[in-house]
Amino acid sequence: MADQDRIDSFFVMHSARADQWREVLTAAEAWAAGSGTRAKVEQELRDILLIEEFHAYPGMRLLARLRERIAAGEAAAVAAMVRRIADAILTNSYAQQVDGETGGEADDSLPDVLPSVVSGRDRHRPYFEVLLVTPQPQSRWASMAVEFRRLRRVEDQFVYEPVIVGSFEDALCAVLVNPQILSVIVAEGFPFHSAHDAPILRSILDKTLGKLEPSSSALTLAGLIKKVRPELDLFVTTDRDVETLAGSPQSACVRRIFYAVEEVLELHLAILEGIQARFETPFFDNLKRYAQRPVGTFHALPIARGKSVFRSGWIRDMGEFYGINLFLAESSATTGGLDSLLEPTGNIKKSQEMAARAFGADHVFFVTNGTSTSNKMVVQALVAPGDIVIVDRNCHKSHHYGLVLTGGQPIYVEAYPLTQYSMYGAVPLKTIKQALLDLKEEGRLDRVRLLDLTNCTFDGHMYNTRRVMEECLAIKPDLIFLWDEAWSGFARWSPFLRPRTAMGAAAELESWQADPASVEAYEKQQKALGAKPSREKLLETRLIPDPRKVRLRVYQTNSTHKSMSAIRQGSMVLVKDVDYPKVESQFHEAVFTHASTSPNQQLIAGLDVARRQMELEGYGLVMNAISIALKIRQAVNSHPLISKYFRILGANDLIPDAYRQSGFKDYLAPGTTWGDVVKSMKEDEFYLDPTRMTLVCGDAGFDGTQFKGILANRFNIQVNKTSRNSVLLQSNINNTRSDVAHLLRVLIEICGEIEERLRSGGESERQVFAARTRSLMHDVPDLPNFSRFHEAFRKDAGKLTPEGDMRTAFFMAYDESACEYVPLNGPEMDKRLASGPDLVSANFVIPYPPGFPIMVPGQVLTAETIGFMRKLDVKEIHGYEAAKGLKLIKPDALGAGRNKTAKA
Ligand SMILES: Cc1ncc(COP(=O)(O)O)c(C=O)c1O
């Protein structure tokens, strides 16, 4: 496989920079010590120079000097210089250097990036890089960089360095590979083709953006850059007809257009203003100010200002542990510089608007009680009693409880099972279309309100969100979508994952709707389908909706705290709904229903700050999380000892072939190229989020819960969820390569212990081990599908369709006289299963793991459900008390249930 096609070549490109400079250093030191050659140094350097051109440090001047020294044979000086560069890149110290603080040799290593007028100011002015795309000859670039540096002022809040490129292709490469670029200036008149003949870069561009039409239009380039990194500020400078340019609809993505370069100070100020607009955190900034004010409090919350804590002899350690600012920033006030989360009019409102901009939504609601609450808010706001909701049965319990609260009637759709690992995948589109077509056949589509799915699932299955919405809208053009993206809020910040998010797909659908070609495509398909297409035809066709009829109504919830730097429970609801004005008041009611009237200030501030971070460094952080996941996957599965007992499941283990239409197998499959990965991300029905890694531990003789305990108690490694024979590892924006090293060392140690036990325990130990692994890996219970709602709760249901009135069943459980308890393992249970009367659950019964309801109120229990429950060997089962048995609705009360439903 050509190197440029290696799948990690893109993600690792940025994070591997430091490693590559280390390779140059090794070669340079060997040359200086007489054991290496100049040729080797030159070769190592050649490998990295290409990508270095897209970074401000070490910069062209310093690299030229390095090359001169190599040419002059000054091996010792070269080694010293490379060491400084390699260290600066590894530690990011070049971004913090200030003038005058580096003496001697340092002049040689950092001259290109020293902010020239920063002396004396604090060292922590945030640093970023500005890409300048210019038609000027390369010989002028160094002096252009100097001109930019001259603009720096002591009062600037941020400091930046220019990165200069001379073509359309190089500009795209630079924004892809250098996450520190936060603003782009496009000066018209540049050529399309890169001067480099660099297959690796060309491969990345082609695979990421598709075959590009040669263009030298500043606005076309700006549009493509926005597609890759929507958070960047774009400026265009032109010396021709500035008015025409500004009037073009394509210029909507440009922050400002300047006439020629005579306004260079204005440009500098506009760049800084753009960064400030992302850096600003209206609520957090206000909270900090509030904390500094001498406020007297005569309201509840004695902890505010910390006096009850710091004056106490008994609880002062709490104050010392958390620090004074936590208490100074605590308040139950909503005035005096703060705002009300329930009805924001000031800085919370502004913070939410900024979050909407960042996440590509029209509106954002901050939620301080987790996505558990966000989901209930959305369901309540959109669903009225009796409305039908098509919902993934394995979704988080908040959706099920939301339906109980509103009286929405669920049609549970099943994800495909992954029985061997005791988990589910995601719901196939065909299943969803089938449910909608059934409803259509019965003339009940008008009752359907919402499609509610989890994206990505706990185990990393990402839907093809655009395709799901398109095809569903082709059947019901006003269907509303709720995508629970509790785990994948971060995906917004990767150009590869973004199209698979709710908001990413909604943006694409919006553009599609505005394109006249879409109507043509729709009409062409209608003609081909004919007047009465069969159900089979509709199921197998990739349906195109009628763009004129579609009402695009998309909601997303995300646990900001699960994948970004928000404090636990910080969550957001994102709204992109053309009919939002019609539900706005309902939405506010839902917020009033569920939001605490004492929301925590620190949680709101955390949401504000998480947004700031993602807009300014999310791209690099997410790229890092993905590259770390790829490293862990590679290291575990290829290590000779670890891979004897442990394995991280690939896409081909977790997604059946039928849903990987592109033919993609896995990141690690031999021969897999970067192009295969991008194709799979774009086309496949399901795609595996690489950062969610299912580590199978059953072959090492551990069940998931046991192994999770070992990792936590002995090695201080915390993992995500477990299954019968696996644990879920998640890499995220805080992981470093040290974490990878620690994990590998721990797995090696555990494998060593297993080997030692098997060696010293003899044949009997080996037999016990084999029996245990066999049981964990092969004696796995079948996963039960949702059976059906009892007829008592299907009074107003359709014939073909399985919805049920779960709320009535739920509240029947409040009446103890209407309920009975039947022991799970007793003969009564078997007798009832065999010959009735029906066993009807009064409760949600949710075992952890797997964490989805095995039973819901009103559900008729079957032998499969009971068989699964009996085989479960987990301790935590919500809604089930082993001592009493399963709580059921008595058969004679079911008639009452029927009456209640009828009355409702
Ligand atoms: C898919 C899904 N949605 C929602 C939630 C609830 O989120 P939170 O913990 O933020 O309340 C979870 C929690 O694990 C989840 O897995």
Side-chain angles (χ1 to χ4, degrees), residues 369-372 375 396 398-399 454 458 484 486-487 559 561-562:
N369 194 20
T371 299
S372 306
N375 288 335
H396 187 257
S398 47
H399 301 267
T454 310
F458 227 128
D484 177 345
W487 293 104
S559 292
H561 68 100
K562 290 196 205 295

Side-chain angles (χ1 to χ4, degrees), residues 140-457:
R140 280 225 54 228
W141 292 1
S143 57
M144 286 162 71
V146 170
E147 282 166 35
F148 264 101
R149 269 177 227 129
R150 283 215 191 95
L151 297 168
R152 288 181 188 148
R153 303 161 317 146
V154 181
E155 56 270 42
D156 290 346
Q157 217 193 328
F158 314 103
V159 63
Y160 66 86
E161 270 295 312
V163 174
I164 305 178
V165 296
S167 73
F168 194 103
E169 285 187 322
D170 285 337
L172 285 171
C173 284
V175 296
L176 275 166
V177 304
N178 181 353
Q180 279 181 309
I181 292 175
L182 294 186
S183 306
V184 183
I185 307 164
V186 184
E188 279 204 310
F190 47 81
F192 175 77
H193 289 292
S194 167
H196 306 293
D197 181 22
I200 185 160
L201 296 182
R202 198 137 293 140
S203 133
I204 286 170
L205 277 188
D206 288 353
K207 307 281 163 53
T208 311
L209 293 164
K211 204 85 202 126
L212 295 173
E213 281 299 311
S215 159
S216 53
S217 148
L219 292 183
T220 305
L221 176 61
L224 278 170
I225 290 176
K226 271 283 183 194
K227 208 167 155 194
V228 177
R229 294 183 57 189
E231 73 278 13
L232 299 187
D233 288 329
L234 293 170
F235 303 93
V236 169
T237 68
T238 177
D239 52 11
R240 55 180 190 111
D241 187 0
V242 69
E243 294 78 13
T244 312
L245 207 61
S248 153
Q250 265 190 304
S251 71
C253 65
V254 174
R255 191 172 171 89
R256 257 187 87 175
I257 297 178
F258 289 93
Y259 182 64
V261 274
E262 64 204 26
E263 306 207 54
V264 64
L265 178 63
E266 286 300 311
L267 184 55
H268 170 74
L269 295 176
I271 289 169
L272 295 181
E273 187 191 56
I275 300 296
Q276 175 60 33
R278 280 177 267 170
F279 186 79
E280 189 189 351
T281 35
F283 181 77
F284 177 54
D285 298 344
N286 254 291
L287 189 64
K288 283 191 292 182
R289 274 194 290 276
Y290 172 87
Q292 302 313 320
R293 285 170 39 196
V295 181
T297 61
F298 288 98
H299 53 66
L301 202 68
I303 211 168
R305 318 305 293 175
K307 286 180 238 168
S308 72
V309 176
F310 287 100
R311 283 209 211 114
S312 162
W314 299 98
I315 64 166
R316 198 161 51 207
D317 59 333
M318 179 191 180
E320 282 157 5
F321 180 72
Y322 284 113
I324 182 72
N325 278 341
L326 176 70
F327 303 95
L328 293 178
E330 274 291 351
S331 172
S332 58
T334 53
T335 52
L338 299 175
D339 195 3
S340 159
L341 182 64
L342 285 134
E343 205 138 64
T345 52
N347 44 58
I348 294 184
K349 182 166 186 281
K350 197 158 171 224
S351 294
Q352 290 182 338
E353 284 164 3
M354 289 171 80
R357 172 194 71 197
F359 285 89
D362 295 337
H363 309 277
V364 163
F365 292 87
F366 287 173
V367 180
T368 59
N369 194 20
T371 299
S372 306
T373 296
S374 302
N375 288 335
K376 281 178 271 194
M377 284 178 180
V378 178
V379 170
Q380 175 178 328
L382 301 176
V383 178
D387 283 350
I388 293 175
V389 175
I390 300 176
V391 52
D392 174 3
R393 204 250 319 201
N394 308 307
C395 63
H396 187 257
K397 62 182 178 180
S398 47
H399 301 267
H400 304 273
Y401 281 104
L403 289 171
V404 165
L405 294 176
T406 63
Q409 299 201 1
I411 288 187
Y412 284 122
V413 280
E414 297 286 348
Y416 62 81
L418 291 161
T419 310
Q420 194 192 348
Y421 305 107
S422 283
M423 59 173 83
Y424 279 93
V427 185
L429 178 53
K430 205 168 175 181
T431 308
I432 299 165
K433 281 168 73 178
Q434 231 144 9
L436 283 168
L437 291 173
D438 284 344
L439 286 155
K440 186 171 179 188
E441 201 169 312
E442 295 215 327
R444 294 162 61 77
L445 265 186
D446 58 323
R447 285 268 304 270
V448 185
R449 184 79 170 154
L450 186 68
L451 173 66
D452 187 351
L453 296 172
T454 310
N455 182 54
C456 66
T457 66

Side-chain angles (χ1 to χ4, degrees), residues 505-527:
E508 286 184 6
L509 282 175
E510 220 173 25
S511 318
W512 163 86
Q513 222 177 338
D515 182 352
S518 308
V519 174
E520 268 172 50
Y522 164 75
E523 282 174 346
K524 195 164 156 219
Q525 183 175 74
Q526 286 302 301
K527 215 181 232 168

Side-chain angles (χ1 to χ4, degrees), residues 16 66 73 103 107 153 155 165 189 203 218 270 373 385 421 428 535 558 756 769 774 806 832 861:
L66 182 62
D107 288 344
R153 303 161 317 146
E155 56 270 42
V165 296
S203 133
T373 296
Y421 305 107
R535 165 182 286 252
N558 78 67
E756 177 50 32
F769 183 77
R774 213 172 24 249
M806 191 159 69
R832 294 269 295 270
L861 307 186

